[in-house]
């Protein structure tokens, strides 16, 4: 326990990513800095820092099992009474997925903040130290626990729900599709390690080849990165019906990054028709986060009607 008058303790969980990367002799950037190395780069801050070296991976290579490890590690720190807040250093490619999983699986009793970097630690415009310093300050504000899991990045503080990466090369890289409070009354504690949920990209004129391949590969659920507000074509609607007949849920999201998704179009393969064929419409979550929510729901053996309601959102109060 912290002694009286001691600065608060913030756990900093290092998982790799660009923030921990340097460019090697071959020109490739790989995670090579430990949590302690990264904390040494942070300007003077009014907190004690506890580095936790969990893994050193590019987030593009993370599996659901890796994300579960991250979520479990956050749980350990949340249960440590000496820890005032938790910061997770993470790659930007899958930041939205891991942060949502943590948000779903835990009662956030103290601030939990993800951050990372767009530029490597040895880049002339390295943004990692500033992002980390801001994330620690965010984790020190006890009121932030009420907001669920947060992302502190590029000068912004965003909620995990609805998060997406908007830019591959800008320091201000993230936005939220539609900030919402999500309270489904469901228990998301079941681990997602063994789940398989695939994302299938929809494009004009596409057929059901990849949906059928996912079924054959044993996917427990499928997310469609559909067009517009969640539209496809009659062939995809027929494939959705086949999935429904096999008890494999299909969630319809969109490749469009912003805006509320409404299942209103017909024509044989529009969003309205996909729902009629048995699909679940995701009103806010884009494909990456929809996959995480669906995996969590399936891991918890959630009834079909509750899976549908879990993808509906209500505005923040």
């Amino acid at each position: 326990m912290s002694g009286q008058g001691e600065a608060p303790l913030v756990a900093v969980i290092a998982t790799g990513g660009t923030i921990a990367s340097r460019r090697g002799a071959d020109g490739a950037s790989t995670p090579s800095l430990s949590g302690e190395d990264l904390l040494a780069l942070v300007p003077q801050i009014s907190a004690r820092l506890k580095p936790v070296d969990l893994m050193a991976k590019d987030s593009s290579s993370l599996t659901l099992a890796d994300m579960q490890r991250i979520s479990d590690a956050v749980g350990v720190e949340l249960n440590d009474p000496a820890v005032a807040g938790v910061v997770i250093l993470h790659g930007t490619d899958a930041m939205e997925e891991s942060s949502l999983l943590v948000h779903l699986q835990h009662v956030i009793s103290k601030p939990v903040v993800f951050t990372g970097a767009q530029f490597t630690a040895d880049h002339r415009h390295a943004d990692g130290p500033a992002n980390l310093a801001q994330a620690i300050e965010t984790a020190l504000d006890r009121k932030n626990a009420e907001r669920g899991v947060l992302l502190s990045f590029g000068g912004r503080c965003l909620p995990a729900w609805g998060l997406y990466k908007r830019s591959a090369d800008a320091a201000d890289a993230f936005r939220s599709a539609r900030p919402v409070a999500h309270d489904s009354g469901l228990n998301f504690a079941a681990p997602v390690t063994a789940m398989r949920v695939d994302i299938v990209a929809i494009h004009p004129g596409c057929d059901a080849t990849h949906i059928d391949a996912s079924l054959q590969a044993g996917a427990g659920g499928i997310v469609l990165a559909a067009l517009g507000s969640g539209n496809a074509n009659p062939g995809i609607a027929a494939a959705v019906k086949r999935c429904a007949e096999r008890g494999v849920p299909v969630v319809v999201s969109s490749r469009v990054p912003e805006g509320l998704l409404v299942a209103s179009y017909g024509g044989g393969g529009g969003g309205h028709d996909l729902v009629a064929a048995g699909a679940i419409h995701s009103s806010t979550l884009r494909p990456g986060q929809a996959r995480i929510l669906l995996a969590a729901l399936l891991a918890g053996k959630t009834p079909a009607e509750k899976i549908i309601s879990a993808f509906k959102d209500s505005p923040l109060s």
Side-chain angles (χ1 to χ4, degrees):
M1 292 290 291
S2 298
Q4 188 173 6
E6 280 189 316
L9 179 65
V10 175
V12 181
I13 301 172
T15 70
T18 300
I19 192 170
S21 296
R22 284 177 172 161
R23 193 174 297 276
D26 60 355
S29 299
T30 55
S32 57
L33 298 178
S34 68
E36 201 158 340
D37 293 333
L38 292 166
L39 294 183
L41 301 175
V42 180
Q44 189 66 31
I45 201 160
S46 56
R48 294 177 297 128
L49 304 178
K50 172 189 174 184
V52 179
D53 284 307
L54 186 65
M55 63 182 75
K57 283 192 167 187
D58 290 317
S59 67
S60 58
S61 69
L62 294 181
T63 63
L64 284 178
D66 292 324
M67 294 179 191
Q68 187 63 56
R69 279 186 64 199
I70 293 169
S71 183
D72 291 345
V74 172
V76 170
E77 302 306 328
L78 284 173
N79 289 324
D80 184 346
V83 172
V86 185
V87 171
I88 303 94
L89 308 181
H90 197 286
T92 59
D93 285 351
M95 187 92 75
E96 61 211 66
E97 283 95 335
S98 292
S99 61
L100 182 62
L101 183 63
V102 173
H103 179 77
L104 292 172
Q105 291 191 327
H106 299 285
V107 175
I108 307 302
S109 56
K110 57 190 71 171
V112 176
V113 186
F114 276 72
T115 196
Q118 283 283 75
F119 309 116
T120 57
D122 55 353
H123 193 281
R124 68 182 184 277
H125 298 306
D127 54 335
N131 283 343
L132 176 51
Q134 187 61 53
I136 293 169
E137 292 291 350
T138 303
L140 288 171
D141 186 344
R142 296 179 63 180
K143 292 181 180 178
N144 283 326
E146 301 170 5
R147 303 172 63 191
V149 174
L150 299 171
L151 171 73
S152 180
F153 201 102
R156 295 179 186 271
C157 188
L158 301 168
W161 186 274
L163 188 67
Y164 70 93
K165 184 177 179 181
R166 74 172 186 94
S167 175
D169 61 0
D172 180 13
F174 288 89
R175 293 292 187 274
S176 185
R178 180 170 177 254
V180 297
H182 183 267
D183 181 13
S184 65
L186 298 172
N187 183 352
F188 293 98
V192 299
T193 303
M195 303 309 303
R196 175 170 183 152
V197 176
D198 290 351
I199 296 176
V200 174
I202 300 300
H203 57 82
C206 70
D207 59 24
T209 298
H210 295 101
I211 295 176
D212 292 332
S214 289
L215 285 175
Q216 187 173 358
I222 296 170
V223 174
L224 302 183
L227 307 175
S229 61
N231 305 309
N233 60 54
I236 298 302
V240 167
K241 187 174 182 180
R242 291 197 297 274
C243 292
E245 290 168 349
R246 296 191 190 187
V248 176
V250 177
V251 172
V252 180
S253 182
S254 175
R255 68 182 189 179
V256 178
E258 293 190 2
L260 183 66
L261 304 177
V262 180
S264 60
Y265 286 91
H272 181 274
D273 298 324
L274 294 175
V275 171
I280 300 160
H281 200 79
S282 175
S283 60
T284 296
L285 298 185
R286 270 37 186 191
Q289 289 203 327
R291 173 177 175 257
I292 295 300
L293 177 56
L294 183 56
L297 290 162
L298 293 174
K301 303 187 185 306
T302 308
E305 64 274 10
K306 289 191 175 181
I307 293 179
I308 294 171
S309 65
F311 280 91
K312 296 178 180 178
D313 308 313
S314 59
L316 281 169
S317 57

